[in-house]
Structure formats: C-alpha cells, structure tokens
Amino acid sequence: MLKQVKDLLGRINFKKINLRRVLLYALFLFLTMVLQNMVLTHIRPLGVCPFILPAAAVAVGMFEGSAWGAVFGLVMGIYADMAFVDTTVGFALLFPALAFGAGFVAQFFINRRFLGYIVVAAAALLITSLMQMLWVLVSDSWSVTMLSTALLQTLWSLPLAALLYFPPARWID
C-alpha cells in the first residue's frame, strides 16, 4: 500500500501546481461557503433559499478542467455536507460529478464564455435541486410543492451564480 502511494505521488508534478492559485481557490471556497451559510440562508424570497454552491463547482470545473474541478467539488461537497443537516455524503458525491461534467463539456462542446457558463450552471442548479427533492422523497412523501420549490430555488440561484463566473475566469493564465 505504501509503495502504491509513493508511486502515485511520484506521478504528480508538483512544480506545475501553482500555490497562489490553490490559495485563491481556497479563499473562493471559503467566501462562497460564508455567503451561502451566513447570508443567503436569511434571504428567502417566497420561502425558498438560493443555493449557489453547485455554480461555484461548475465555474472551477469549466476553467480549471475536469480533474481539478472535481477536486474542488469534492472539497466543497465535504464542507457542504458538514454545514447542512439534511445530507451525509450527498453533496460530496454530487459536486465533483457536476464539476467534472462542466469541465468535460467546456473542453469538448461549449466555450468558456459567460453564456456557456450560465447554461451549464443552470443545469447544475436544476440537477442539484432535483437531487435534493429526491433525498427528501426517500424519507417523506411526494408533493407538487416540492417541484415548485426546486424550480424556484434554481431561479433564485441563477443571478448569484452569474457573479461566481468572474473570480475563476480572472485567475486563468
């Protein structure tokens, strides 16, 4: 086992890892989590709280690529699971998948411009709200209001998700 870890660490090119960029993304993660947990939980238009964390994972996935986006999404998902009572590992599984998918789509199918980001972020927000709806379905019964809540959460989150496009876009070399 130790030999496998040494082999894996030997394959990573640490000279290519930019410490400044890692610290900027750590700050981006921290500020996004603070905004989500301390500010947006108190702003509830029509009783629905905006949820911007999937858009942050998508932004990093689009600009840093699938692998680094998935790493960022995993770290953000772990912290989101710790912050929210409803999930245990749900966000830690969902956010890396969304970031990886965004990086893949940005590499092969769409450009990394603002409109492409908004389309992918809207899809990620909708997928996240539908997954939250399914997590509630496991322990509770289904209601039509759940679907309207999922759609409202996506709509309220999109304007704030637009703001998350700019920090990762500026940090690209």
Side-chain angles (χ1 to χ4, degrees):
M1 177 73 175
L2 186 60
K3 182 173 176 5
Q4 293 170 340
V5 171
K6 284 183 181 180
D7 290 341
L8 180 65
L9 290 176
R11 292 181 192 168
I12 297 174
N13 187 359
F14 287 104
K15 293 178 184 176
K16 284 187 135 184
I17 296 176
N18 187 348
L19 183 61
R20 179 181 171 273
R21 189 179 290 174
V22 169
L23 292 176
L24 283 173
Y25 281 118
L27 179 66
F28 180 62
L29 173 92
F30 175 73
L31 292 177
T32 306
M33 292 294 292
V34 166
L35 178 67
Q36 178 65 52
N37 293 329
M38 293 185 169
V39 177
L40 294 180
T41 55
H42 299 291
I43 302 171
R44 294 180 179 262
L46 295 176
V48 178
C49 181
F51 192 57
I52 60 169
L53 299 180
V58 163
V60 175
M62 283 187 74
F63 290 109
E64 290 297 327
S66 298
W68 287 110
V71 169
F72 181 83
L74 178 65
V75 172
M76 180 174 273
I78 290 170
Y79 282 114
D81 282 332
M82 287 191 291
F84 295 104
V85 179
D86 300 340
T87 61
T88 52
V89 295
F91 293 132
L93 297 174
L94 182 63
F95 290 168
L98 292 174
F100 183 84
F104 180 79
V105 167
Q107 186 173 358
F108 294 110
F109 299 110
I110 64 170
N111 60 15
R112 291 179 172 92
R113 306 258 184 213
F114 184 72
L115 182 62
Y117 164 74
I118 285 296
V119 169
V120 175
L125 289 169
L126 186 62
I127 290 169
T128 302
S129 63
L130 292 175
M131 289 302 293
Q132 287 175 314
M133 187 175 73
L134 289 176
W135 292 330
V136 172
L137 272 175
V138 170
S139 63
D140 204 6
S141 62
W142 189 82
S143 173
V144 176
T145 57
M146 292 171 65
L147 189 58
S148 65
T149 302
L151 293 174
L152 278 174
Q153 177 179 323
T154 302
L155 289 175
W156 294 149
S157 303
L158 268 177
L160 295 168
L163 298 175
L164 296 176
Y165 169 81
F166 298 104
R170 292 185 47 89
W171 297 333
I172 292 299
D173 293 332

